[in-house]
Amino acid sequence: MFANRISQTLHDEHRATIALMERLEAAISRRQPISIADSAGARLLADLAAAIEADTLRHFDFEETQLFTMFDSVGDQLIGDHLTEEHSFMRPLGEKLIALARNAQTGGFDAGSWREFSRSGAELVQRMVVHVQKEEMALLPLLDQTMDDATEARLYDAYVRASQGAEAT
């Protein structure tokens, strides 16, 4: 779909994120705490914590340190500023969900932790879906059009190194 590996890789991560957000939204919409005795519920909590920590936060960091600085260096900082602002709202939500999911993995939810989890999860789903749509419609096509081969190779190498660092932790 995209001409360069960076745009295609980010697109693939967006698809995985949307699939996870759909699973989270479906679980929250049942209005009952996710049961850790249920294998699908336990898997959702594990997948959610792992994906936010290893994929989403790394994805945000990569965009902010590599892509948005590249746009900034050529005088096009508006898209990076806007998406960074959105990251600043989603990052604490993601970190809260990681903690709540990990706590629930060991002891389940009580009424208060479920209320907190479902509220934070619903907000993250809403923000993430809109954010991904913006990146798909604006950021990825811009990357595809503006990167030369050398820049693409350098950024892809940085992406792979960041991914390997996330896997090692």
Side-chain angles (χ1 to χ4, degrees), residues 1-14 58-59 62-63 66-68 70-71 135-136 139-144 146-163:
M1 178 173 183
F2 291 99
N4 70 62
R5 294 175 293 180
I6 295 295
S7 295
Q8 186 62 49
T9 300
L10 295 176
H11 171 72
D12 293 343
E13 287 184 357
H14 289 159
R58 176 189 41 78
H59 183 108
F62 176 76
E63 289 175 340
Q66 301 293 327
L67 303 182
F68 302 161
M70 177 186 72
F71 288 130
E135 289 194 0
E136 287 286 316
L139 178 66
L140 299 186
L142 182 61
L143 280 172
D144 225 29
T146 59
M147 276 197 289
D148 59 30
D149 290 344
T151 303
E152 193 268 346
R154 180 182 56 79
L155 290 175
Y156 189 73
D157 182 57
Y159 174 84
V160 169
R161 280 186 278 115
S163 298

Side-chain angles (χ1 to χ4, degrees), residues 77-126:
Q77 81 278 3
L78 292 178
I79 191 166
D81 290 349
H82 177 73
L83 296 172
T84 297
E85 183 178 6
E86 290 185 359
H87 292 170
S88 73
F89 290 109
M90 290 186 289
R91 190 174 271 119
L93 281 171
E95 290 167 348
K96 182 186 285 185
L97 282 176
I98 291 169
L100 290 167
R102 289 205 170 121
N103 284 341
Q105 284 179 289
T106 58
F109 288 102
D110 61 22
S113 64
W114 172 248
R115 191 171 32 256
E116 180 93 19
F117 180 87
S118 59
R119 194 176 302 146
S120 298
E123 185 176 351
L124 183 64
V125 167
Q126 181 183 25

Side-chain angles (χ1 to χ4, degrees), residues 13 17 20-21 48 50-63 87 90-91 94 124 128 131:
E13 287 184 357
T17 298
L20 182 61
M21 292 297 105
L48 186 64
I52 291 172
E53 185 173 63
D55 299 334
T56 303
L57 299 180
R58 176 189 41 78
H59 183 108
F60 288 175
D61 290 342
F62 176 76
E63 289 175 340
H87 292 170
M90 290 186 289
R91 190 174 271 119
L124 183 64
M128 187 66 78
H131 181 77

